[in-house]
């Protein structure tokens, strides 16, 4: 499978997002602000779920895994882009490019699967509340997380191994700010039609199956909510599901835009815009959506802050 040669192992050149103009400098600073927001927001969510015992439930365990995926996602692409821009260098090694490709594909696939499984958690909580502790035990939550991580990693390892085994020649300029599949495959010498078709089919399956599961779960949820007689119960059900629905819509929408369009309809600018949205914007919005719209997380934050204030007062 591996047909590496000296030419294939040479460094790649990442074109990046910015040039030396003042407007692009301002845009770079904005991206870095968004990146810091994503890192701090997801880190805070993970720490809150770990520290506060009230959040030690399968639902919040899955949320902590989602935040971990988002944190790793932005850390896979943005630091390299920022270092290249600040240093004036645009190169990335062959191994670095392969690693980056593997990481972003693993994390993206894992998030697709995890969001679908989280919809099942919401279905059980609303449609079968009395059986929630049985159907969604801690063990089930851990199994869901392991399935998401392992399945996506195996899929990414296969695709990365095949892609990076192709010979690369001619221009080694990647018209992107990281080693994303659509930009890298354009540099391959030879016929990759069969491989591209296979990747397209896999992408469609990886996106459509979770979307079907999410749609089915929320179809049952909607049916149960309509049958509720209490207006308060309906509001609580919608509040419980709204955050997840917003995150699902943002993530799957961006991924469908990036990976379910035929190659003939792709442009480098569109690929960059789509990648910025799902690799930077979505990981930033996710913790904000869950934190601002989730009363349990907000209460946990208040408890932790109050505990710190009391501890500081006792030390004084």
């Amino acid at each position: 499978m591996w047909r590496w040669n000296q030419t294939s192992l040479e460094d790649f050149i990442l074109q990046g997002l910015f040039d030396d103009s003042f407007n692009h400098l301002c845009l770079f600073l904005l991206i870095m602000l968004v990146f810091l927001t994503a890192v701090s927001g997801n880190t805070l969510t993970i720490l809150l779920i770990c520290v506060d015992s009230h959040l030690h439930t399968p639902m919040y365990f899955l949320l902590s895994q989602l935040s971990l995926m988002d944190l790793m996602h932005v850390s896979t692409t943005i630091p390299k882009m920022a270092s290249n821009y600040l240093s004036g260098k645009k190169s990335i090694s062959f191994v670095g490019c392969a690693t980056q490709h593997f990481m972003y594909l693993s994390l993206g696939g894992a998030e697709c699967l995890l969001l679908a499984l989280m919809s099942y958690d919401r279905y059980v909580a609303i449609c079968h509340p009395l059986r929630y502790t049985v159907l969604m035990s801690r063990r089930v939550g851990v199994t869901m997380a392991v399935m998401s991580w392992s399945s996506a990693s195996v899929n990414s390892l296969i695709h990365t191994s095949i892609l990076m085994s192709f010979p690369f020649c001619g221009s080694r300029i990647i018209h992107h700010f990281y080693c994303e599949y659509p930009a890298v495959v354009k540099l391959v010498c030879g016929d990759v039609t069969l491989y591209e078709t296979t990747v397209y089919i896999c992408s469609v399956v990886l996106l459509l199956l979770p979307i079907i599961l999410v749609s089915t779960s929320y179809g049952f949820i909607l049916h149960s909510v309509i049958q509720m007689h209490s207006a308060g119960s309906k509001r609580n059900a919608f509040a419980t599901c709204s955050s997840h629905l917003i995150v699902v819509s943002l993530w799957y929408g961006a991924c469908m835009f990036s990976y379910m369009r035929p190659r003939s309809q792709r442009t480098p600018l569109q690929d960059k815009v789509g990648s910025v949205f799902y690799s930077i914007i979505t990981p930033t919005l996710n913790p904000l959506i869950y934190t601002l719209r989730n009363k349990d997380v907000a209460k946990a934050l208040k408890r932790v802050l109050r505990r710190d204030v009391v501890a500081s007062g006792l030390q004084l």
Side-chain angles (χ1 to χ4, degrees), residues 173-188 266 271:
I173 300 176
I174 299 176
H175 296 281
H176 214 299
F177 64 96
Y178 67 95
C179 292
E180 191 178 23
Y181 161 78
V184 176
V185 76
K186 293 178 181 179
L187 306 182
V188 173
R266 292 177 177 274
D271 288 339

Side-chain angles (χ1 to χ4, degrees), residues 112-255:
C112 283
L113 297 174
L114 186 67
L115 285 172
L117 295 173
M118 289 174 72
S119 69
Y120 172 77
D121 172 83
R122 295 299 83 211
Y123 158 74
V124 174
I126 293 175
C127 299
H128 303 284
L130 298 179
R131 300 177 60 196
Y132 181 80
T133 55
V134 176
L135 297 176
M136 275 302 300
S137 62
R138 175 76 176 183
R139 181 178 180 180
V140 173
V142 172
T143 301
M144 286 181 171
V146 171
M147 286 175 55
S148 300
W149 283 102
S150 58
S151 300
S153 297
V154 170
N155 175 72
S156 178
L157 180 61
I158 294 172
H159 283 297
T160 302
S161 300
I162 295 174
L163 176 61
M164 303 310 289
S165 70
F166 285 116
F168 296 95
C169 56
S171 172
R172 302 181 71 84
I173 300 176
I174 299 176
H175 296 281
H176 214 299
F177 64 96
Y178 67 95
C179 292
E180 191 178 23
Y181 161 78
V184 176
V185 76
K186 293 178 181 179
L187 306 182
V188 173
C189 300
D191 185 12
V192 291
T193 304
L194 178 61
Y195 174 64
E196 286 186 303
T197 303
T198 304
V199 171
Y200 181 78
I201 294 173
C202 290
S203 300
V204 171
V205 171
L206 187 62
L207 286 171
L208 287 186
L209 287 181
I211 289 175
I212 291 172
L213 178 58
V214 170
S215 302
T216 303
S217 297
Y218 278 101
F220 285 116
I221 290 172
L222 181 61
H223 181 263
S224 296
V225 171
I226 292 175
Q227 292 182 330
M228 292 178 181
H229 301 291
S230 170
S233 298
K234 290 183 179 181
R235 283 195 300 269
N236 290 335
F238 280 121
T240 301
C241 297
S242 58
S243 297
H244 183 253
L245 272 175
I246 293 172
V247 171
V248 164
S249 301
L250 290 173
W251 178 259
Y252 286 132
C255 289

Side-chain angles (χ1 to χ4, degrees), residues 50-81:
C50 292
V51 170
D52 194 278
S53 60
H54 295 83
L55 301 182
H56 291 175
T57 65
M59 172 187 172
Y60 291 108
F61 171 73
L62 294 177
L63 177 57
S64 70
Q65 295 301 298
L66 179 65
S67 294
L68 179 60
M69 291 173 186
D70 285 336
L71 178 61
M72 294 177 65
H73 206 147
V74 294
S75 301
T76 298
T77 57
I78 305 305
K80 178 60 178 176
M81 180 271 290

